């Protein structure tokens, strides 16, 4: 029910990160309605990520946008510190 914002983009980036790292989405809903509810209410399944990495992604996927990283760049920098293998350079 909220308006899209830069925090929405960060959430989407974190979801994409999970799909790329784990080969699966962070939620396993059985219908589009259930998917909406999962994103709104459930904690993401981050099993398979390193603990520090999961903490960073969990913050980026916080239900309250005010609890997320201030920018996508801040998220990426924190991921790089949490998991040196995430470095593309």
């Amino acid at each position: 029910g909220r308006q899209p914002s830069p925090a929405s983009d960060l959430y989407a980036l974190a979801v994409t990160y999970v799909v790329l790292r784990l080969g699966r989405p962070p939620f396993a809903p059985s219908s589009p309605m259930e998917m909406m509810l999962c994103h709104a209410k459930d904690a993401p399944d981050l099993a398979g990520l390193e603990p520090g990495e999961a903490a960073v992604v969990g913050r980026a996927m916080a239900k309250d946008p005010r609890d997320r990283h201030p920018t996508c760049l801040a998220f990426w920098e924190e991921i790089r510190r949490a998991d040196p293998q995430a470095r593309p350079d």
Side-chain angles (χ1 to χ4, degrees), residues 24-50:
R24 62 168 177 77
F27 301 104
S30 59
S31 70
M33 178 58 89
E34 188 179 337
M35 180 183 299
M36 290 185 336
L37 293 173
C38 286
H39 282 285
K41 305 227 182 263
D42 294 347
D45 176 6
L46 303 178
L49 296 179
E50 296 297 323

Side-chain angles (χ1 to χ4, degrees), residues 11-89:
Y11 185 94
L13 177 62
V15 169
T16 302
Y17 181 85
V18 171
V19 172
L20 291 172
R21 283 281 286 127
L22 300 178
R24 62 168 177 77
F27 301 104
S30 59
S31 70
M33 178 58 89
E34 188 179 337
M35 180 183 299
M36 290 185 336
L37 293 173
C38 286
H39 282 285
K41 305 227 182 263
D42 294 347
D45 176 6
L46 303 178
L49 296 179
E50 296 297 323
E53 184 183 20
V56 175
V57 173
R59 178 180 173 199
M61 294 183 69
K63 300 305 175 199
D64 186 338
R66 294 171 294 188
D67 293 335
R68 297 177 193 159
H69 301 82
T71 65
C72 290
L73 181 59
F75 163 71
W76 182 244
E77 289 171 345
E78 197 169 333
I79 281 289
R80 289 177 64 174
R81 285 191 300 274
D83 181 12
Q85 293 184 10
R87 295 178 180 270
D89 40 30

